[in-house]
Amino acid sequence: AQRLLNSLTAAEKAALAAEQDRASRASADRVQLGNSTPASGRAGAAFSAAQTKIGSPYVYGATGPSSYDCSGLTSWAYAQAGVGIPRTSQAQANAGTRIYSQSQLQVGDLVIFYGDLHHVGLYAGNGQVLHAPRTGTVVRYESINNMPFQFGVRI
């Protein structure tokens, strides 16, 4: 991925940066989360903690307090709610009760993506996930449908 990024022209890099900036601003400005209820008091507390980190940069391996990777954000958020969960997305996938139907997800549930379970976020309600997407982005809301959903995990 870094090799590909290094091969971009200055104009392509500027266009990519502008698109990422627009996506991050749009995420914070236009997300309608609806009136979903949290899975539990702990899930609600974890979700509330994660919301305070919107705009924090993604850094691979980071667990806060100023930058995060995907599982670093979710483990940090649950720790703020007094709940210890494993550090990696693959381990978090086995940390609670699996939920295979998106319609059964509740705010604060972990949401696992990709066949190898390498990405995790927090369900935000109304088809949105709060997550730390990847290098070059920030913690933000995004449609759950932008990535291949595998299942949710209720802690």
Side-chain angles (χ1 to χ4, degrees):
Q2 189 61 53
R3 215 176 5 240
L4 178 61
L5 285 173
N6 291 342
S7 73
L8 296 176
T9 67
E12 290 168 330
K13 287 178 184 176
L16 182 61
E19 175 60 24
Q20 288 297 330
D21 186 50
R22 184 206 59 75
S24 294
R25 278 195 320 275
S27 152
D29 294 342
R30 294 195 300 248
V31 171
Q32 298 296 321
L33 299 178
N35 295 322
S36 300
T37 54
S40 70
R42 297 176 305 183
F47 181 73
S48 292
Q51 286 181 300
T52 70
K53 297 304 177 176
I54 292 171
S56 297
Y58 176 100
V59 175
Y60 181 78
T63 58
S66 58
S67 59
Y68 300 87
D69 69 5
C70 65
S71 56
L73 175 66
T74 53
S75 61
W76 176 87
Y78 267 92
Q80 304 317 294
V83 179
I85 63 173
R87 168 65 181 92
T88 67
S89 59
Q90 291 89 352
Q92 289 177 11
N94 296 310
T97 303
R98 288 190 179 185
I99 302 154
Y100 292 97
S101 171
Q102 288 185 26
S103 67
Q104 298 301 308
L105 291 172
Q106 295 179 338
V107 174
D109 285 341
L110 297 176
V111 186
I112 308 295
F113 297 97
Y114 300 97
D116 63 356
L117 315 179
H118 78 260
H119 190 66
V120 63
L122 293 164
Y123 188 66
N126 200 30
Q128 299 290 309
V129 63
L130 178 58
H131 68 144
R134 64 189 166 281
T135 300
T137 64
V138 297
V139 173
R140 66 185 186 202
Y141 295 106
E142 191 167 343
S143 170
I144 198 170
N145 298 317
N146 288 356
M147 298 163 284
F149 171 80
Q150 299 301 301
F151 52 85
V153 176
R154 185 153 302 146
I155 301 298

